[in-house]
């Protein structure tokens, strides 16, 4: 259980730092020149429950980031459409000397990491 939660946290940070996940699969008709199989995007009708969870992480990350911000900061990032955009805007807003930046980001990270969602809780229930 702990390993699954750690992997989910890693996936969440990936979405925040690198952007939304693309669900990929091995192409059955192509290989790369080094002999490795080529990857292609997996069609939605083939997605597993885990694939759907990973795709939804962007929405979950956005929601968590929104919940950790005060009204003043929220008003400055509410037009962002992805968790990556929100994070980029937050890092721009937190500019200052290196110590100030680090302190502000540490507080934001601690607030983000302190939010926990129980298993089998819907987003609506979590939002209440």
């Amino acid at each position: 259980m702990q390993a699954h939660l750690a992997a989910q946290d890693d996936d969440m940070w990936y979405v925040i730092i690198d952007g939304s996940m693309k669900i990929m699969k091995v192409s059955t008709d192509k290989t790369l020149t080094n002999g490795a199989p080529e990857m292609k995007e997996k069609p939605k009708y083939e997605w597993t429950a885990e694939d759907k969870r990973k795709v939804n992480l962007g929405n979950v990350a956005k929601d968590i980031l929104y919940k950790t911000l005060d009204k003043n900061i929220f008003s400055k990032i509410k037009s962002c459409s992805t968790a990556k955009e929100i994070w980029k805007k937050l890092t721009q807003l937190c500019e200052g000397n290196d110590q100030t930046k680090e302190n502000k980001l540490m507080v934001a990270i601690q607030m983000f990491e302190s939010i926990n969602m129980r298993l089998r809780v819907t987003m609506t229930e979590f939002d209440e």
Side-chain angles (χ1 to χ4, degrees):
M1 179 73 166
Q2 288 257 319
H4 176 71
L5 292 176
Q8 185 171 340
D9 288 347
D10 290 345
D11 289 343
M12 187 83 66
W13 275 115
Y14 171 87
V15 168
I16 291 171
I17 302 302
D18 296 326
S20 300
M21 288 190 172
K22 291 187 180 200
I23 306 302
M24 306 298 283
K25 72 175 194 172
V26 174
S27 174
T28 55
D29 47 59
K30 292 184 184 177
T31 58
L32 300 176
T33 55
N34 65 359
E38 182 177 69
M39 301 299 286
K40 67 179 182 180
E41 205 161 334
K42 187 189 264 188
K44 286 184 181 181
Y45 67 86
E46 292 182 11
W47 287 2
T48 64
E50 179 67 8
D51 294 338
K52 291 174 186 175
R53 183 196 66 78
K54 286 183 177 186
V55 167
N56 193 47
L57 282 176
N59 293 326
V60 174
K62 256 179 33 176
D63 190 57
I64 290 171
L65 288 168
Y66 284 160
K67 289 176 188 225
T68 61
L69 302 173
D70 64 35
K71 290 179 184 179
N72 182 40
I73 299 291
F74 176 78
S75 68
K76 295 175 182 176
I77 58 94
K78 68 182 177 185
S79 64
C80 297
S81 61
T82 65
K84 181 179 178 179
E85 286 178 35
I86 293 169
W87 193 252
K88 184 177 179 181
K89 183 74 171 181
L90 287 173
T91 56
Q92 290 169 353
L93 291 170
C94 292
E95 285 186 3
N97 66 35
D98 287 341
Q99 185 63 42
T100 303
K101 262 197 257 186
E102 189 170 323
N103 289 340
K104 288 180 180 180
L105 286 173
M106 286 305 296
V107 168
I109 289 169
Q110 288 171 348
M111 290 175 72
F112 175 80
E113 289 177 343
S114 71
I115 293 177
N116 289 316
M117 187 170 158
R118 294 184 320 267
L119 291 174
R120 296 183 185 86
V121 173
T122 65
M123 287 305 295
T124 304
E125 293 168 334
F126 180 66
D127 195 33
E128 296 172 349

